Short mmCIF file of all heavy atoms in Angstrom, two decimals:
data_model
loop_
_atom_site.label_atom_id
_atom_site.label_comp_id
_atom_site.label_asym_id
_atom_site.label_seq_id
_atom_site.Cartn_x
_atom_site.Cartn_y
_atom_site.Cartn_z
N LYS A 354 3.48 1.94 -1.62
CA LYS A 354 3.87 2.33 -2.97
C LYS A 354 2.75 3.09 -3.66
O LYS A 354 2.99 4.04 -4.37
CB LYS A 354 4.26 1.11 -3.79
CG LYS A 354 5.55 0.50 -3.34
CD LYS A 354 5.93 -0.66 -4.21
CE LYS A 354 7.23 -1.28 -3.74
NZ LYS A 354 7.61 -2.42 -4.56
N LYS A 355 1.50 2.69 -3.43
CA LYS A 355 0.38 3.39 -4.04
C LYS A 355 0.27 4.81 -3.50
O LYS A 355 0.03 5.73 -4.25
CB LYS A 355 -0.92 2.64 -3.78
CG LYS A 355 -1.06 1.36 -4.55
CD LYS A 355 -2.38 0.72 -4.29
CE LYS A 355 -2.52 -0.59 -5.03
NZ LYS A 355 -3.80 -1.23 -4.77
N VAL A 356 0.46 5.00 -2.21
CA VAL A 356 0.38 6.33 -1.60
C VAL A 356 1.46 7.23 -2.16
O VAL A 356 1.20 8.35 -2.56
CB VAL A 356 0.49 6.24 -0.06
CG1 VAL A 356 0.60 7.62 0.55
CG2 VAL A 356 -0.71 5.51 0.50
N VAL A 357 2.68 6.73 -2.24
CA VAL A 357 3.80 7.52 -2.75
C VAL A 357 3.55 7.87 -4.22
O VAL A 357 3.79 8.99 -4.64
CB VAL A 357 5.13 6.76 -2.57
CG1 VAL A 357 6.26 7.48 -3.28
CG2 VAL A 357 5.44 6.61 -1.10
N ALA A 358 3.05 6.92 -4.99
CA ALA A 358 2.82 7.17 -6.41
C ALA A 358 1.75 8.24 -6.61
O ALA A 358 1.89 9.08 -7.50
CB ALA A 358 2.41 5.87 -7.10
N THR A 359 0.72 8.26 -5.80
CA THR A 359 -0.33 9.25 -5.98
C THR A 359 0.09 10.62 -5.46
O THR A 359 -0.42 11.63 -5.90
CB THR A 359 -1.63 8.83 -5.26
OG1 THR A 359 -1.35 8.64 -3.87
CG2 THR A 359 -2.21 7.57 -5.85
N LEU A 360 1.05 10.68 -4.55
CA LEU A 360 1.50 11.97 -4.03
C LEU A 360 2.51 12.66 -4.95
O LEU A 360 2.77 13.83 -4.78
CB LEU A 360 2.14 11.78 -2.65
CG LEU A 360 1.20 11.31 -1.55
CD1 LEU A 360 1.98 11.12 -0.27
CD2 LEU A 360 0.07 12.29 -1.33
N LYS A 361 3.05 11.96 -5.91
CA LYS A 361 4.08 12.52 -6.77
C LYS A 361 3.53 12.91 -8.15
O LYS A 361 4.16 12.69 -9.16
CB LYS A 361 5.22 11.53 -6.95
CG LYS A 361 6.04 11.32 -5.71
CD LYS A 361 7.24 10.46 -6.00
CE LYS A 361 8.11 10.32 -4.79
NZ LYS A 361 9.28 9.49 -5.05
N LYS A 362 2.37 13.48 -8.20
CA LYS A 362 1.81 13.94 -9.47
C LYS A 362 2.51 15.23 -9.89
O LYS A 362 2.80 16.09 -9.07
CB LYS A 362 0.31 14.19 -9.34
CG LYS A 362 -0.47 12.92 -9.13
CD LYS A 362 -1.94 13.20 -9.07
CE LYS A 362 -2.70 11.92 -8.83
NZ LYS A 362 -4.12 12.15 -8.68
N GLU A 363 2.75 15.37 -11.19
CA GLU A 363 3.41 16.57 -11.69
C GLU A 363 2.48 17.77 -11.59
O GLU A 363 1.29 17.66 -11.83
CB GLU A 363 3.84 16.37 -13.13
CG GLU A 363 5.00 15.42 -13.28
CD GLU A 363 5.48 15.36 -14.71
OE1 GLU A 363 5.37 16.36 -15.42
OE2 GLU A 363 5.96 14.30 -15.10
N GLY A 364 3.04 18.90 -11.21
CA GLY A 364 2.26 20.12 -11.13
C GLY A 364 1.39 20.22 -9.89
O GLY A 364 0.67 21.17 -9.71
N GLY A 365 1.48 19.24 -9.04
CA GLY A 365 0.67 19.23 -7.82
C GLY A 365 1.43 19.79 -6.64
O GLY A 365 2.56 20.25 -6.75
N VAL A 366 0.81 19.73 -5.50
CA VAL A 366 1.42 20.21 -4.27
C VAL A 366 2.39 19.14 -3.77
O VAL A 366 2.11 17.95 -3.84
CB VAL A 366 0.33 20.45 -3.20
CG1 VAL A 366 0.93 20.91 -1.89
CG2 VAL A 366 -0.68 21.47 -3.71
N LYS A 367 3.54 19.56 -3.25
CA LYS A 367 4.50 18.61 -2.69
C LYS A 367 4.04 18.21 -1.30
O LYS A 367 3.70 19.06 -0.49
CB LYS A 367 5.89 19.23 -2.61
CG LYS A 367 6.56 19.37 -3.94
CD LYS A 367 8.00 19.77 -3.75
CE LYS A 367 8.71 19.82 -5.06
NZ LYS A 367 10.14 20.10 -4.88
N TYR A 368 4.03 16.92 -1.04
CA TYR A 368 3.60 16.39 0.24
C TYR A 368 4.80 15.83 1.00
O TYR A 368 5.77 15.38 0.42
CB TYR A 368 2.56 15.28 0.06
CG TYR A 368 1.23 15.80 -0.37
CD1 TYR A 368 0.88 15.90 -1.70
CD2 TYR A 368 0.28 16.20 0.57
CE1 TYR A 368 -0.34 16.39 -2.10
CE2 TYR A 368 -0.95 16.69 0.19
CZ TYR A 368 -1.26 16.77 -1.14
OH TYR A 368 -2.48 17.26 -1.53
N THR A 369 4.69 15.85 2.32
CA THR A 369 5.75 15.35 3.19
C THR A 369 5.13 14.48 4.27
O THR A 369 4.07 14.78 4.77
CB THR A 369 6.48 16.54 3.86
OG1 THR A 369 6.94 17.42 2.85
CG2 THR A 369 7.65 16.06 4.67
N ARG A 370 5.83 13.41 4.61
CA ARG A 370 5.40 12.55 5.70
C ARG A 370 6.12 13.02 6.96
O ARG A 370 7.34 13.06 7.01
CB ARG A 370 5.77 11.11 5.39
CG ARG A 370 5.38 10.15 6.44
CD ARG A 370 5.69 8.74 5.98
NE ARG A 370 5.69 7.87 7.11
CZ ARG A 370 6.50 6.85 7.26
NH1 ARG A 370 7.39 6.58 6.34
NH2 ARG A 370 6.42 6.09 8.32
N VAL A 371 5.35 13.39 7.98
CA VAL A 371 5.91 13.95 9.20
C VAL A 371 5.61 13.03 10.38
O VAL A 371 4.48 12.59 10.55
CB VAL A 371 5.30 15.35 9.48
CG1 VAL A 371 5.92 15.96 10.71
CG2 VAL A 371 5.47 16.26 8.29
N VAL A 372 6.64 12.74 11.17
CA VAL A 372 6.48 11.93 12.37
C VAL A 372 6.90 12.80 13.55
O VAL A 372 8.00 13.35 13.56
CB VAL A 372 7.34 10.66 12.32
CG1 VAL A 372 7.18 9.85 13.58
CG2 VAL A 372 6.99 9.84 11.10
N LYS A 373 6.02 12.93 14.55
CA LYS A 373 6.28 13.77 15.71
C LYS A 373 6.13 12.94 16.98
O LYS A 373 5.15 12.22 17.14
CB LYS A 373 5.28 14.93 15.72
CG LYS A 373 5.45 15.90 16.86
CD LYS A 373 4.43 17.01 16.75
CE LYS A 373 4.55 18.01 17.84
NZ LYS A 373 3.55 19.07 17.75
N ALA A 374 7.11 13.04 17.88
CA ALA A 374 7.04 12.34 19.16
C ALA A 374 6.37 13.25 20.18
O ALA A 374 6.78 14.38 20.37
CB ALA A 374 8.42 11.95 19.63
N VAL A 375 5.31 12.76 20.81
CA VAL A 375 4.56 13.53 21.80
C VAL A 375 4.54 12.73 23.10
O VAL A 375 4.25 11.53 23.10
CB VAL A 375 3.11 13.77 21.31
CG1 VAL A 375 2.32 14.56 22.33
CG2 VAL A 375 3.11 14.46 19.97
N LYS A 376 4.84 13.39 24.21
CA LYS A 376 4.85 12.72 25.50
C LYS A 376 3.43 12.65 26.06
O LYS A 376 2.75 13.66 26.15
CB LYS A 376 5.76 13.46 26.47
CG LYS A 376 6.09 12.68 27.71
CD LYS A 376 7.20 13.33 28.49
CE LYS A 376 7.63 12.46 29.63
NZ LYS A 376 8.75 13.03 30.36
N SER A 377 3.00 11.46 26.44
CA SER A 377 1.67 11.25 26.99
C SER A 377 1.61 11.79 28.42
O SER A 377 2.44 11.43 29.25
CB SER A 377 1.34 9.76 26.99
OG SER A 377 0.13 9.53 27.67
N PRO A 378 0.64 12.65 28.71
CA PRO A 378 0.54 13.18 30.08
C PRO A 378 0.12 12.12 31.10
O PRO A 378 0.43 12.22 32.28
CB PRO A 378 -0.52 14.27 29.95
CG PRO A 378 -1.29 13.95 28.74
CD PRO A 378 -0.36 13.21 27.83
N LYS A 379 -0.56 11.10 30.63
CA LYS A 379 -1.07 10.06 31.54
C LYS A 379 0.02 9.08 31.98
O LYS A 379 0.16 8.80 33.16
CB LYS A 379 -2.20 9.31 30.84
CG LYS A 379 -2.98 8.39 31.72
CD LYS A 379 -4.17 7.83 30.99
CE LYS A 379 -5.03 6.99 31.89
NZ LYS A 379 -6.19 6.45 31.18
N THR A 380 0.80 8.57 31.01
CA THR A 380 1.78 7.54 31.33
C THR A 380 3.22 8.03 31.29
O THR A 380 4.10 7.38 31.82
CB THR A 380 1.66 6.36 30.35
OG1 THR A 380 1.96 6.84 29.03
CG2 THR A 380 0.28 5.74 30.39
N GLY A 381 3.47 9.15 30.61
CA GLY A 381 4.83 9.65 30.47
C GLY A 381 5.58 9.02 29.32
O GLY A 381 6.72 9.40 29.04
N ALA A 382 4.97 8.07 28.64
CA ALA A 382 5.61 7.42 27.49
C ALA A 382 5.42 8.30 26.25
O ALA A 382 4.52 9.13 26.18
CB ALA A 382 4.98 6.05 27.25
N TYR A 383 6.28 8.09 25.28
CA TYR A 383 6.17 8.85 24.04
C TYR A 383 5.26 8.14 23.05
O TYR A 383 5.31 6.93 22.90
CB TYR A 383 7.55 9.07 23.42
CG TYR A 383 8.32 10.15 24.13
CD1 TYR A 383 9.23 9.83 25.14
CD2 TYR A 383 8.14 11.48 23.82
CE1 TYR A 383 9.93 10.81 25.81
CE2 TYR A 383 8.83 12.48 24.47
CZ TYR A 383 9.72 12.14 25.47
OH TYR A 383 10.41 13.13 26.12
N ILE A 384 4.43 8.94 22.39
CA ILE A 384 3.52 8.45 21.35
C ILE A 384 3.95 9.14 20.07
O ILE A 384 4.28 10.32 20.07
CB ILE A 384 2.06 8.83 21.68
CG1 ILE A 384 1.65 8.25 23.03
CG2 ILE A 384 1.13 8.37 20.59
CD1 ILE A 384 0.33 8.80 23.53
N PHE A 385 3.94 8.41 18.97
CA PHE A 385 4.34 8.98 17.69
C PHE A 385 3.11 9.29 16.85
O PHE A 385 2.30 8.42 16.58
CB PHE A 385 5.27 8.02 16.95
CG PHE A 385 6.56 7.79 17.68
CD1 PHE A 385 6.74 6.68 18.48
CD2 PHE A 385 7.58 8.71 17.58
CE1 PHE A 385 7.92 6.48 19.16
CE2 PHE A 385 8.77 8.52 18.25
CZ PHE A 385 8.93 7.40 19.05
N LYS A 386 3.00 10.57 16.46
CA LYS A 386 1.93 11.00 15.56
C LYS A 386 2.52 11.09 14.16
O LYS A 386 3.56 11.71 13.96
CB LYS A 386 1.39 12.36 15.96
CG LYS A 386 0.55 12.35 17.19
CD LYS A 386 -0.10 13.69 17.39
CE LYS A 386 -1.01 13.66 18.60
NZ LYS A 386 -1.67 14.96 18.76
N GLU A 387 1.85 10.48 13.20
CA GLU A 387 2.34 10.45 11.83
C GLU A 387 1.27 11.00 10.91
O GLU A 387 0.11 10.59 10.98
CB GLU A 387 2.68 9.01 11.46
CG GLU A 387 3.23 8.84 10.09
CD GLU A 387 3.58 7.40 9.80
OE1 GLU A 387 3.81 6.62 10.73
OE2 GLU A 387 3.60 7.07 8.61
N GLU A 388 1.65 11.93 10.04
CA GLU A 388 0.70 12.51 9.10
C GLU A 388 1.39 12.78 7.77
O GLU A 388 2.60 12.99 7.72
CB GLU A 388 0.15 13.84 9.63
CG GLU A 388 -0.83 13.68 10.76
CD GLU A 388 -1.57 14.97 11.07
OE1 GLU A 388 -1.85 15.75 10.14
OE2 GLU A 388 -1.85 15.19 12.25
N ILE A 389 0.60 12.79 6.71
CA ILE A 389 1.07 13.20 5.40
C ILE A 389 0.36 14.51 5.10
O ILE A 389 -0.86 14.59 5.14
CB ILE A 389 0.74 12.14 4.33
CG1 ILE A 389 1.48 10.86 4.65
CG2 ILE A 389 1.12 12.66 2.95
CD1 ILE A 389 1.15 9.71 3.73
N MET A 390 1.16 15.56 4.84
CA MET A 390 0.60 16.89 4.67
C MET A 390 1.40 17.68 3.64
O MET A 390 2.53 17.31 3.33
CB MET A 390 0.58 17.63 6.00
CG MET A 390 1.95 17.80 6.60
SD MET A 390 1.94 18.60 8.20
CE MET A 390 0.94 17.50 9.14
N PRO A 391 0.82 18.77 3.13
CA PRO A 391 1.57 19.63 2.21
C PRO A 391 2.79 20.22 2.91
O PRO A 391 2.78 20.45 4.13
CB PRO A 391 0.58 20.74 1.85
CG PRO A 391 -0.76 20.15 2.11
CD PRO A 391 -0.57 19.18 3.24
N GLU A 392 3.85 20.47 2.14
CA GLU A 392 5.11 20.95 2.71
C GLU A 392 4.96 22.25 3.49
O GLU A 392 5.65 22.46 4.47
CB GLU A 392 6.14 21.18 1.60
CG GLU A 392 6.93 19.96 1.26
CD GLU A 392 8.05 20.27 0.29
OE1 GLU A 392 8.21 21.43 -0.15
OE2 GLU A 392 8.78 19.33 -0.03
N ASP A 393 4.06 23.13 3.08
CA ASP A 393 3.94 24.43 3.74
C ASP A 393 3.29 24.35 5.12
O ASP A 393 3.36 25.29 5.89
CB ASP A 393 3.20 25.43 2.85
CG ASP A 393 1.83 24.94 2.43
OD1 ASP A 393 1.51 23.76 2.66
OD2 ASP A 393 1.07 25.74 1.86
N GLN A 394 2.70 23.22 5.48
CA GLN A 394 2.06 23.07 6.79
C GLN A 394 2.93 22.33 7.81
O GLN A 394 2.54 22.17 8.96
CB GLN A 394 0.75 22.33 6.64
CG GLN A 394 -0.28 23.06 5.83
CD GLN A 394 -1.56 22.27 5.68
OE1 GLN A 394 -1.66 21.14 6.15
NE2 GLN A 394 -2.52 22.86 5.01
N VAL A 395 4.13 21.92 7.41
CA VAL A 395 4.99 21.11 8.29
C VAL A 395 5.41 21.89 9.53
O VAL A 395 5.33 21.38 10.65
CB VAL A 395 6.22 20.59 7.51
CG1 VAL A 395 7.21 19.92 8.45
CG2 VAL A 395 5.78 19.63 6.43
#
Side-chain angles (χ1 to χ4, degrees):
K354 290 183 181 179
K355 288 183 181 179
V356 172
V357 172
T359 58
L360 295 178
K361 290 187 176 180
K362 292 183 181 177
E363 288 186 30
V366 178
K367 287 190 176 185
Y368 287 92
T369 305
R370 180 176 163 216
V371 182
V372 179
K373 181 179 180 181
V375 180
K376 193 168 187 177
S377 173
K379 190 173 185 180
T380 63
Y383 283 95
I384 301 169
F385 296 98
K386 287 188 177 182
E387 182 178 337
E388 287 192 34
I389 297 175
M390 60 182 59
E392 273 188 358
D393 56 350
Q394 296 178 358
V395 172

